[in-house]
Amino acid sequence: MNVMAKAEKKISSAFIYFFGSFGGILFGYDIGVMTGALPFLQADWHLENAASLVGWITSAVMFGAIFGGALAGQLSDKFGRRKMILMSAIVFMVFSVLSGVSPDMGEASAYYLIIVRMLLGLAVGAASALVPAYMSEMAPAKARGRLSGLNQTMIVSGMLLSYVVDFLLKDLPGEWAWRLMLGLAAVPALILFLGVLRLPESPRFLLRKGDEAQARKVLSYIRKNPADIDQELASIKETAKEEQQANQKTSWSTLFSGKYRYLVIAGVGVAAFQQFQGANAIFYYIPLIVQKATGQAASSNLMWPIVQGVILVIGSLVYMWIADKFNRRTLLMVGGAVMGLSFILPAVINWMMPNMNPMTIVVFLCIYVAFYSFTWAPLTWVLVGEIFPLAIRGRASGLASSFNWIGSWLVGLIFPIMTASMPQEAVFAIFGIICILGVIFVKTCVPETRGHTLEEIEEQGTNHGRVKASNPEN
């Protein structure tokens, strides 16, 4: 027993935070990998004229992720964040390999790959829900924004990794190129599994299950001041006691009870807006966007995803530097306003100057990606991880993740249809309007969470619910 305790003491906070957020690599890799793999897959399986099959192959992961996020969030409340992250890594490994070894059986191969990628999406969606929840429960309030932002750095690093892998493998024979692109996703999944084997469980989950001694031990790894540990344990225990006294059984209907409704709407709304603002239209289709703007073949534009990936990684690092220096709401509103203008201005310029340089839209898209990278991209997951009360955190973060993936899936499906029926500038202008609506939503519906403990944030929601109940006209 003493040997095990000593071994556990060797777990550093840096190790915990690194592998606690490493699931974002898996999430990001699979978002980006089809950008380069799809042209080779189409040629290998002769799917050039099978638009619906190609669309489903591309979006199948996002479709599966819709359910993976909700399912993992619910199960994590029962089995713990750590165990569910381990399970997600296993699922990701298995179905990444199965994607890479897809049998060549004509049209049936496409259906096989769609099903496999849907199942892979369960793991991707689970990671998108579990990692923010785990990181927020491990990080101290004063550094939670920066440490939770590690998740976004991991996501965009995974995207950049997939873009670089696509570019490096593009000169292989077509069949080998796309198979290796998809199959290599198993490597980061294996690294995640091995790392998480040594991670402790979330102290809040442990305390909720009555294991105070282990919760105290975990907090001792990541809190330097013993007084902070006692204070945090007392705060968590008080919240848990209130939940027990209320004798509430957590269910989906609980999420929208008066006590929680305000915070659930805020968290789920931000998660949904992040995707409906159109970011993934750029990430999935940037080679095609450049092709339509310049006339160059999409296959010759595989450097553009790398450019976007580099901007995303730099932006995530900028966010980690400024995360705890500015309010969450301020960053979201400033970022959303600039993103909206970056989408709307090309349409206005094109209307005033019909002969504008076609690369103008690409320049504005880079500005959009830059501001998205250090505002809405990381802050969505920071808020999802910290805004939901303990009693509903698993289910609520899963619901937010599912809405986020619904947006991602729909944007991925409808963007090609929209650009086929109207100018690209007009399509992006529509997304720009949604960005502005997102700013209004943040201003009116989202509370400030920077510097507050998770228990203080819950109290904000409780008080807001009481005000609404006593003043229904408001």
Side-chain angles (χ1 to χ4, degrees), residues 105-160:
M105 303 179 298
E107 189 172 298
S109 301
Y111 294 111
Y112 166 90
L113 188 55
I114 289 169
I115 293 171
V116 167
R117 283 180 57 76
M118 281 185 183
L119 294 171
L120 176 61
L122 294 176
V124 174
S128 72
L130 293 170
V131 171
Y134 182 84
M135 288 298 291
S136 70
E137 293 180 0
M138 299 298 283
K142 63 182 180 180
R144 195 168 56 235
R146 184 171 68 256
L147 290 172
S148 296
L150 275 175
N151 178 47
Q152 178 62 22
T153 300
M154 292 295 188
I155 291 173
V156 296
S157 296
M159 293 174 67
L160 179 57

Side-chain angles (χ1 to χ4, degrees), residues 66 79 97 128 138 147 153 172 176 180 196 198 204 212 224 236 244 251 273 294 300 364 380 401 409 440 443 463:
I66 295 170
F79 298 109
V97 172
S128 72
M138 299 298 283
L147 290 172
T153 300
L172 290 177
W176 282 102
L180 280 174
V196 174
R198 293 196 63 216
R204 283 175 171 78
E212 181 175 346
K224 294 181 179 180
I236 299 170
Q244 289 178 352
S251 65
F273 267 110
T294 66
S300 67
F364 275 103
T380 293
S401 175
W409 175 54
I440 296 171
K443 184 173 178 60
N463 291 338

Side-chain angles (χ1 to χ4, degrees), residues 430-469:
I430 293 173
F431 286 130
I433 293 171
I434 296 174
C435 290
I436 302 303
L437 292 175
V439 172
I440 296 171
F441 176 81
V442 170
K443 184 173 178 60
T444 57
C445 300
V446 179
E448 184 54 58
T449 59
R450 181 175 73 100
H452 296 287
T453 67
L454 301 181
E455 286 67 41
E456 288 170 348
I457 295 168
E458 177 172 351
E459 185 64 21
Q460 288 187 63
T462 302
N463 291 338
H464 191 276
R466 289 171 182 162
V467 170
K468 285 291 184 181

Side-chain angles (χ1 to χ4, degrees), residues 35-117:
T35 301
L38 191 58
F40 300 101
L41 176 62
Q42 283 181 290
D44 187 31
W45 284 358
H46 308 291
L47 298 175
E48 291 85 352
N49 297 317
S52 60
L53 286 178
V54 170
W56 270 105
I57 289 172
T58 303
S59 61
V61 165
M62 288 85 82
F63 186 79
I66 295 170
F67 305 98
L71 182 63
Q74 185 173 354
L75 292 177
S76 73
D77 281 345
K78 183 175 183 180
F79 298 109
R81 292 22 165 172
R82 175 182 173 274
K83 288 181 181 178
M84 291 309 301
I85 293 175
L86 283 171
M87 183 60 66
S88 298
I90 293 172
V91 172
F92 202 99
M93 276 190 285
V94 170
F95 290 104
S96 293
V97 172
L98 290 178
S99 296
V101 299
S102 299
D104 193 348
M105 303 179 298
E107 189 172 298
S109 301
Y111 294 111
Y112 166 90
L113 188 55
I114 289 169
I115 293 171
V116 167
R117 283 180 57 76

Side-chain angles (χ1 to χ4, degrees), residues 357-371:
N357 188 317
M359 286 300 290
T360 300
I361 189 172
V362 180
V363 172
F364 275 103
L365 292 185
C366 289
I367 296 172
Y368 173 99
V369 171
F371 276 81

Side-chain angles (χ1 to χ4, degrees), residues 69-387:
L71 182 63
Q74 185 173 354
L75 292 177
S76 73
D77 281 345
K78 183 175 183 180
F79 298 109
R81 292 22 165 172
R82 175 182 173 274
K83 288 181 181 178
M84 291 309 301
I85 293 175
L86 283 171
M87 183 60 66
S88 298
I90 293 172
V91 172
F92 202 99
M93 276 190 285
V94 170
F95 290 104
S96 293
V97 172
L98 290 178
S99 296
V101 299
S102 299
D104 193 348
M105 303 179 298
E107 189 172 298
S109 301
Y111 294 111
Y112 166 90
L113 188 55
I114 289 169
I115 293 171
V116 167
R117 283 180 57 76
M118 281 185 183
L119 294 171
L120 176 61
L122 294 176
V124 174
S128 72
L130 293 170
V131 171
Y134 182 84
M135 288 298 291
S136 70
E137 293 180 0
M138 299 298 283
K142 63 182 180 180
R144 195 168 56 235
R146 184 171 68 256
L147 290 172
S148 296
L150 275 175
N151 178 47
Q152 178 62 22
T153 300
M154 292 295 188
I155 291 173
V156 296
S157 296
M159 293 174 67
L160 179 57
L161 175 64
S162 72
Y163 296 148
V164 171
V165 168
D166 288 351
F167 185 80
L168 293 177
L169 297 179
K170 67 183 177 63
D171 294 325
L172 290 177
E175 180 179 0
W176 282 102
W178 70 264
R179 290 182 183 279
L180 280 174
M181 291 173 187
L182 299 183
L184 284 174
V187 175
L190 176 61
I191 296 172
L192 173 67
F193 180 82
L194 296 175
V196 174
L197 280 176
R198 293 196 63 216
L199 289 188
E201 183 52 86
S202 155
R204 283 175 171 78
F205 176 81
L206 290 169
L207 202 58
R208 187 181 180 189
K209 294 300 182 182
D211 193 347
E212 181 175 346
Q214 188 62 28
R216 180 180 293 274
K217 181 182 292 186
V218 173
L219 283 174
S220 72
Y221 302 154
I222 53 181
R223 304 288 189 269
K224 294 181 179 180
N225 190 338
D228 290 343
I229 296 175
D230 293 334
Q231 183 178 357
E232 190 164 349
L233 281 172
S235 182
I236 299 170
K237 286 167 66 176
E238 183 177 352
T239 301
K241 184 178 179 181
E242 290 176 358
E243 296 298 334
Q244 289 178 352
Q245 289 176 343
N247 197 27
Q248 290 182 326
K249 290 185 177 180
T250 304
S251 65
W252 290 109
S253 61
T254 306
L255 301 187
F256 296 99
S257 66
K259 181 177 180 179
Y260 301 122
R261 185 186 304 118
Y262 170 61
L263 296 177
V264 170
I265 290 174
V268 173
V270 168
F273 267 110
Q274 187 207 43
Q275 290 302 327
F276 284 107
Q277 288 170 336
N280 277 346
I282 302 173
F283 304 142
Y284 298 150
Y285 297 109
I286 186 62
L288 297 177
I289 292 170
V290 176
Q291 175 182 328
K292 192 161 186 177
T294 66
Q296 299 174 355
S299 59
S300 67
N301 291 318
L302 291 185
M303 276 300 297
W304 276 104
I306 296 178
V307 171
Q308 303 293 337
V310 169
I311 293 174
L312 285 168
V313 170
I314 293 174
S316 73
L317 297 176
V318 169
Y319 169 75
M320 291 179 67
W321 178 51
I322 67 172
D324 296 303
K325 298 178 180 179
F326 297 94
N327 286 343
R328 316 282 197 241
R329 282 161 43 90
T330 300
L331 289 174
L332 286 173
M333 288 189 286
V334 171
V338 175
M339 288 155 53
L341 290 174
S342 298
F343 274 163
I344 294 170
L345 285 178
V348 174
I349 294 172
N350 187 60
W351 175 65
M352 298 176 65
M353 302 170 56
N355 295 322
M356 77 172 187
N357 188 317
M359 286 300 290
T360 300
I361 189 172
V362 180
V363 172
F364 275 103
L365 292 185
C366 289
I367 296 172
Y368 173 99
V369 171
F371 276 81
Y372 174 81
S373 68
F374 67 86
T375 58
W376 280 83
L379 278 168
T380 293
W381 303 111
V382 173
L383 278 167
V384 165
E386 68 187 7
I387 201 170

